[in-house]
Amino acid sequence: MDTKELLKKVRKIEIKTRRVSDNVFGGEYHSTFKGRGMTFSEVRQYQFGDDIRAIDWNVTARYNEPYIKVFEEERELTLMLMVDVSGSLLFGTQNQFKKEKLTEIAATLAFSATQNNDKVGLLLFSDEIELFIPPKKGKSHVLRIIRELLEFSPKSNKTNISQAFKYLSNVQKKKAIVFVLSDFVAEDDFVQTLKIASGKHDVTGIRVYDAKEEEIPNLGVIPVQDQETGKLRYVNTSSKSIRNEYAAYYREKASYFQESFSKSGAGMMSCATHQDYVKQLLGYFKRRG
């Protein structure tokens, strides 16, 4: 992808996701993810209806009229985006590839965090750590993240989610809001590392999938290539047992995602490539709020 085409794509993603972030998610994000507490801001004269427990008695005695302490939320939060860049994301039959959907969701979350003056970091992973961008504030930083999401070419096409959680625990010492964006089609057992991460951070898993992945249609003998291993084989899709075996495998992966995040006390949501992620995210924020 040349520079001109890349900048055009970045701009397109920015316009779409920033509008959604500004108009829909800014307030929801703020109310869903609280700051570290309340910090003292100023004192002002007491007004009718103020909580008398907030009266500053020292200032009141000095001026011989009631003054109260005013506190504001201490926000200084960090959003970490853990994004799967393995080969299985390069699939889509309706509207978008899974990778494109993940990019839009990640960009929307990043702009929502920036709108609330929070830091944003990025961790791209396959079965290894492909790229880590430390958390930072500002629009230019978010645009860099979007560029990486659009342009980055991973060294590996395989997936290891557990490895990504281990890396997160090592590099992110302070509590962060963590969104893990993946199709969660992985062979590794990541529940233990997820439990450790969610014990320290506010973790949410977002599973993006394509509706056509849920079962194989009866198309006779067809060539099928594994995007993560590159292996090509011919599958007799007219065999009911083969179709049932694949459907069971897919349900097992989807169930493992739900059970792992539920047991770990982490949040989760799923979104198909043909669905409106705005409604899905908004519903998730409202349930949490």
Side-chain angles (χ1 to χ4, degrees):
M1 188 185 303
D2 61 37
T3 304
K4 187 176 180 181
E5 185 183 355
L6 175 61
L7 291 174
K8 187 177 178 181
K9 286 194 173 185
V10 170
R11 181 60 178 159
K12 184 178 179 181
I13 288 282
E14 180 192 2
I15 291 170
K16 181 176 181 179
T17 59
R18 194 167 188 181
R19 184 173 64 245
V20 171
S21 158
D22 290 347
N23 296 338
V24 181
F25 291 122
E28 294 295 338
Y29 173 93
H30 185 98
S31 60
T32 301
F33 303 108
K34 306 296 183 183
R36 292 192 296 244
M38 305 302 287
T39 184
F40 173 75
S41 175
E42 61 179 349
V43 293
R44 63 165 172 79
Q45 284 185 300
Y46 176 88
Q47 297 175 1
F48 179 75
D50 286 337
D51 188 343
I52 60 171
R53 291 174 296 182
I55 291 177
D56 186 322
W57 295 106
N58 291 330
V59 177
T60 296
R62 191 181 310 147
Y63 291 100
N64 203 27
E65 56 181 316
Y67 277 77
I68 66 165
K69 294 178 181 178
V70 178
F71 294 85
E72 61 183 20
E73 185 183 359
E74 186 182 4
R75 278 218 49 97
E76 193 59 41
L77 299 177
T78 296
L79 171 69
M80 277 301 306
L81 296 169
M82 291 176 58
V83 182
D84 183 354
V85 291
S86 62
S88 62
L89 274 300
L90 296 173
F91 178 82
T93 61
Q94 302 181 54
N95 301 330
Q96 290 178 306
F97 282 161
K98 290 184 285 184
K99 179 185 176 181
E100 294 171 327
K101 181 71 78 173
L102 286 185
T103 298
E104 285 194 14
I105 295 173
T108 299
L109 291 169
F111 277 122
S112 296
T114 298
Q115 188 179 345
N116 284 278
N117 202 34
D118 293 338
K119 295 179 181 178
V120 185
L122 178 68
L123 173 60
L124 301 182
F125 68 93
S126 54
D127 62 342
E128 57 183 276
I129 304 308
E130 298 279 355
L131 176 70
F132 174 65
I133 299 178
K136 193 176 173 182
K137 294 182 181 181
K139 175 187 170 183
S140 61
H141 180 69
V142 171
L143 292 178
R144 181 198 170 189
I145 285 174
I146 295 173
R147 284 197 300 272
E148 294 293 355
L149 288 168
L150 285 170
E151 189 184 37
F152 189 84
S153 297
K155 297 189 212 90
S156 173
N157 285 323
K158 297 180 181 179
T159 315
N160 190 312
I161 298 170
S162 182
Q163 189 71 21
F165 279 127
K166 286 179 185 176
Y167 186 86
L168 174 75
S169 296
N170 288 331
V171 297
Q172 187 61 42
K173 300 301 182 184
K174 292 183 179 180
K175 182 177 180 179
I177 301 162
V178 179
F179 279 90
V180 190
L181 297 97
S182 173
D183 57 6
F184 292 92
V185 179
E187 300 303 323
D188 67 300
D189 182 350
F190 59 81
V191 66
Q192 292 303 321
T193 49
L194 170 57
K195 282 181 180 178
I196 293 170
S198 60
K200 184 178 181 181
H201 305 293
D202 186 338
V203 180
T204 297
I206 298 182
R207 183 177 76 96
V208 171
Y209 66 98
D210 190 278
K212 297 296 184 182
E213 290 180 302
E214 296 176 308
E215 58 183 32
I216 299 175
N218 185 348
L219 298 172
V221 179
I222 59 170
V224 176
Q225 184 174 36
D226 188 319
Q227 291 285 354
E228 299 207 352
T229 65
K231 290 182 179 178
L232 179 69
R233 64 173 180 158
Y234 286 86
V235 177
N236 182 11
T237 61
S238 60
S239 168
K240 189 174 181 181
S241 63
I242 288 177
R243 295 200 307 273
N244 289 342
E245 184 180 333
Y246 172 81
Y249 169 81
Y250 185 86
R251 285 195 300 269
E252 180 187 339
K253 293 299 177 187
S255 296
Y256 182 77
F257 161 74
Q258 293 179 336
E259 290 168 9
S260 298
F261 276 79
S262 179
K263 286 178 182 176
S264 303
M268 60 183 163
M269 62 167 271
S270 294
C271 182
T273 52
H274 69 279
Q275 290 179 322
D276 182 359
Y277 75 88
V278 175
K279 290 182 180 178
Q280 303 287 98
L281 261 184
L282 196 57
Y284 174 69
F285 283 174
K286 287 185 179 298
R287 288 194 299 275
R288 281 201 44 156

